[in-house]
Amino acid sequence: MTEWRLEMRNINKSFVSMQALSDVSFLVRPGEAHALLGMNGAGKSTLMKILCGAYTKDSGQILLDGKEIQITCTQDAIDHGIATVYQHPNLVQTFTGYENVFLGAEASKKHLLGRFSRSDLKKKAQELAENYHMPIDVSKSVSEMKPVERELISILHALSHNPRVLILDEPTSILTRKEKNMLFDVINVLKKQQVSIIFVTHRLDEVNEACDELTILRDGKNITSLRIGSGLDTSYIAEMMLGKKLSNLYPPKSDRQDGEVVLKADRLSFNNRVQEVSFEVKKHEILGIYGLVGAGIDELSKLLFGALKRTGGTVCLNGNPVYFRHPAEAIRKGIFLVPGDRKTEGYVGNMDIATNLSLSKTQKICYKALGLINQGRKKKDSLKLIEQLHIATPSEKKNVAELSGGNQQKVVVGKGLYTDADVYIFTEPTVGVDVGARYSIYEIMRDLIQKEAVVLLISSDIEEIYGMSDRILVLNQGKAAFTARADDTTINEILVQAASNLKSEEKGKDIYE
Amino acid sequence: MNKGAKWKDELPVILFIIIFVGLIILFSIFGSGFLTVNNILGILRHVSIVAIAALGVSFVVIVGHTDISFYLVACFAAMMMGFSLAKGLPAPMAVFAGLGCALAFGICSGFAVGVLKLPDIIIAIAIGTIGYGCAYLPSGGSRIYTNFSSSGIGFLNDGSILGIPCPTFLMLVFYIIAYIILEHTKFGTYFYSAGLNKIAANYSGIRVSLVVLVAFVICILLGAFAGEINTASVGNAEVTTALTLLLPCYTAVSIGTAIFKKPGVIGTFLGALLLQIVSNGFTHMNLKYWYSDLTTSILLILSLPISLLNNRKGNSGSTVKASA
Ligand SMILES: Nc1ncnc2c1ncn2[C@@H]1O[C@H](COP(=O)(O)OP(=O)(O)OP(=O)(O)O)[C@@H](O)[C@H]1O
Ligand SMILES: [Mg+2]
């Protein structure tokens, strides 16, 4: 037996216009959690997709327990015990949770004769979930599930194959603290069973918490691999990923707090999911909005943007009451929402970057007459945004669906910036975005409020909320629970306010420290 | 390796060229009089009816829907044209009378699918049946000859503008306009993004319902116009005049999608041209028309997996329920 469970040696992979991986080697021991780190577009997902059979490598070797294996399709990988939770899980929306957990299992030879009935499947899925202490109702249909539950279902799907190697590609980007802890518990159980776990993430604190070893890629090349001892020097790691020194995590806040009210919501309601929420946002300020999943934040942002129609209350923009029947009206009046679910709400896949960037403000790239597009302007403006946001791409013509996850997110943010709005609502703007680009997005937000705009920042990352906001609004079960200036409150208080009124049985289980 | 990836990407184009050239060689060898100037001009003339209707279908396909009722509504429009001629209306008015009826149908299906978000296929079954039913109303189903040849409607088929046969000329005009709209205006961007991801398009401030409605209207208007040209070429208004349009139109669009990885103007034209060459060549080889239908169907089936293969990469939002 060799020391390694998995050896990927000298892997090369190129796409039409670029070399995504050059001579990358990646070694993982049994029973170890191994972090794979790197900037957006470094090649992490590509390497993992080669391992799980979604892409084929151009050259190189893959060895499992010392034996060379050939992986030409995803089924090969599964047969070898390599299971994956993708960055963008593809679940069948109309199926129930348990059907998704065992999706594809019916097709494998063992079950050809349909040994499992539905109730068996459901029972097995439930057992699986209980084994790993996942509190989830597997009989719900996926379309009714929250994003977190979908994430759990895709993890269960991967576990249902009894993997020897489990790949988690940015599994935590939308999980809250509580669910993360749950996931880390699962990882610990798996480690004891000698399963190797590959963990792709941008959050260095999680690496510290859950991983034993890490490997860093930059521009498709190996940079370094090292064991994580007692503590991790995060700034050193960030420097290795970025290739240069990184300053602070958050840009300094400004001290201008004298602006007049730009956006004012008064007893805004949407069925019972948003209940009489009132707040104001003043010029030169970032309002952070925080709440647990289901607190109604997503609905609130869509109400302001005209994507949902409010059932009560009023909204005033610069002192004038406004009511939007369609996002088009909101954009015209100067409100833009960067939505949280980039794949379904944010960008149009199979369309090039330049078109996506200008999509919300096409008049800016058009001649006055007949809506004819000024191709030169379109190219120039998109190149400017690509540079400003560090979108890693060979050209502005590249299909957005082919970008790496973090770069897709930057396109969605860039599309918002291009509208020159007065009010920006950013939902999870830095999900999957690497530390370097994250800082530039923060800087851009600060820049926006220095000028005429105001920013509403919605995030499940409490540190981001705390680090970026001037004032903070906490929603709890659809109600505004708490407002305070960031200077006058603490992360702890925000968390307590966000979780306080929960039903008693939920409260008992809470793990917020 | 880079080359390998490229080669695979270009596969549909290579396949198309092989089939295209192969067929031309085949027909020139085995069919008498295929490769003559007259015949080629004939092909360009005859392709126009299918090409115009297929152009309309492209719009609906681009916005991510299907309309299988346009050819039935086209029958109604053609009958209304014949009926108007019989009632003594001048030829241009009669053409517009037919188009007006089609417009009403287009607005109905566009509204049902775009605004009310009802399933397109089922709406098409209903609208199509109503349309074909209405085609029987003017004459009870019998042919309309009255005033037909004296009205000058024949110009639509036999006339020529700037030395180009009228149908070919109109086809070119429609294609050029459609090309500019789709590739060089913001409206083209609206059509494509509505088809690729309805939710994201809505959140980008595009009124997707309206875009879909317009696509359905364009589809039915162009289909109806193609039906009218066909009627003009036959010499009398007949209920069944546009019934043969469905298969070649969808095949043309599908071939185009396979070549260019997305539905579009040039692709649809090349598709329609290929089909016209097939049916023309088969005639020159003295093969019965059903062989040509058979070939068309096979081409439709072949082009589907190729065009789908290329579409997998994206985030097709058309399957996701729009929330706005
Ligand atoms: N299917 C594809 N076609 C063309 N280029 C691709 C494709 N998939 C990935 N790429 C390119 O390969 C590079 C590496 O992408 P990859 O998804 O592996 O990055 P990543 O490290 O996972 O980044 P992120 O942290 O943003 O998810 C990117 O520049 C991307 O544009
Ligand atoms: Mg990735």
Side-chain angles (χ1 to χ4, degrees), chain B residues 100-150:
Chain B
C101 297
L103 177 68
F105 276 84
I107 291 175
C108 285
S109 34
F111 188 80
V113 177
V115 181
L116 303 180
K117 314 260 185 312
L118 301 175
D120 47 10
I121 300 279
I122 297 173
I123 290 300
I125 293 172
I127 293 278
T129 310
I130 297 172
Y132 198 55
C134 288
Y136 281 81
L137 288 181
S139 64
S142 53
R143 297 171 181 224
I144 307 178
Y145 294 93
T146 322
N147 286 342
F148 204 94
S149 37
S150 61

Side-chain angles (χ1 to χ4, degrees), chain A residues 232-416:
Chain A
L232 185 70
D233 183 355
T234 43
S235 66
Y236 171 71
I237 299 296
E239 198 184 318
M240 293 309 276
M241 292 197 293
L242 205 59
K244 61 174 192 228
K245 262 219 163 343
L246 186 76
S247 44
N248 279 326
L249 194 48
Y250 302 103
K253 296 182 184 178
S254 74
D255 36 20
R256 296 173 65 174
Q257 302 288 350
D258 48 353
E260 66 264 37
V261 174
V262 175
L263 183 74
K264 182 176 156 76
D266 190 30
R267 279 173 289 131
L268 196 55
S269 303
F270 179 68
N271 300 334
N272 56 2
R273 291 198 274 164
V274 177
Q275 301 171 21
E276 310 216 325
V277 173
S278 305
F279 62 88
E280 357 174 282
V281 197
K282 298 198 187 92
K283 201 161 254 177
H284 309 305
E285 119 177 315
I286 295 180
L287 176 73
I289 307 182
Y290 183 79
L292 305 181
V293 174
I297 295 186
D298 204 43
E299 289 86 350
L300 178 66
S301 65
K302 285 172 186 167
L303 286 175
L304 295 172
F305 188 50
L308 288 178
K309 286 177 190 114
R310 62 178 183 242
T311 52
T314 53
V315 177
C316 285
L317 184 63
N318 293 321
N320 307 315
V322 287
Y323 180 69
F324 308 126
R325 273 154 302 188
H326 191 276
E329 296 174 9
I331 292 173
R332 199 173 317 127
K333 283 274 164 64
I335 298 187
F336 192 81
L337 169 73
V338 173
D341 184 346
R342 63 169 168 249
K343 195 179 172 192
T344 49
E345 302 169 342
Y347 67 87
V348 180
N350 262 337
M351 199 176 242
D352 58 293
I353 299 175
T355 309
N356 264 288
L357 284 173
S358 55
L359 199 59
S360 296
K361 206 76 178 179
T362 39
Q363 62 264 42
K364 265 173 83 176
I365 53 158
C366 286
Y367 298 109
K368 284 250 160 54
L370 299 171
L372 280 173
I373 293 173
N374 179 342
Q375 302 289 356
R377 177 85 197 266
K378 179 172 167 184
K379 180 170 175 174
K380 208 180 92 208
D381 288 0
S382 54
L383 286 178
K384 214 163 92 191
L385 281 168
I386 286 172
E387 197 196 309
Q388 194 185 3
L389 290 161
H390 310 287
I391 300 174
T393 175
S395 106
E396 84 287 352
K397 294 247 167 61
K398 186 153 173 155
N399 177 350
V400 177
E402 288 174 359
L403 288 175
S404 79
N407 285 307
Q408 292 172 349
Q409 180 63 33
K410 294 177 201 166
V411 170
V412 178
V413 171
K415 189 175 108 182

Side-chain angles (χ1 to χ4, degrees), chain B residues 11-158:
Chain B
L11 188 67
V13 183
I14 297 169
L15 251 167
F16 177 77
I17 295 173
I18 291 175
I19 294 178
F20 198 88
V21 175
L23 281 175
I24 289 180
I25 293 173
L26 189 86
F27 293 144
S28 337
I29 296 173
F30 294 103
S32 53
F34 176 78
L35 215 57
T36 59
V37 175
N38 256 343
N39 191 44
I40 290 170
L41 286 180
I43 288 178
L44 280 180
R45 176 201 191 89
H46 287 123
V47 74
S48 38
I49 292 174
V50 165
I52 289 174
L55 182 64
V57 172
S58 313
F59 275 87
V60 170
V61 172
I62 286 171
V63 297
H65 285 285
T66 37
D67 180 6
I68 49 164
S69 70
F70 74 95
Y71 70 110
L72 296 168
V73 176
C75 293
F76 174 48
M79 285 309 278
M80 278 312 287
M81 181 183 78
F83 180 69
S84 310
L85 290 172
K87 287 284 168 223
L89 250 64
M93 298 297 287
V95 169
F96 282 110
L99 292 180
C101 297
L103 177 68
F105 276 84
I107 291 175
C108 285
S109 34
F111 188 80
V113 177
V115 181
L116 303 180
K117 314 260 185 312
L118 301 175
D120 47 10
I121 300 279
I122 297 173
I123 290 300
I125 293 172
I127 293 278
T129 310
I130 297 172
Y132 198 55
C134 288
Y136 281 81
L137 288 181
S139 64
S142 53
R143 297 171 181 224
I144 307 178
Y145 294 93
T146 322
N147 286 342
F148 204 94
S149 37
S150 61
S151 67
I153 192 75
F155 180 82
L156 211 50
N157 181 61
D158 318 321

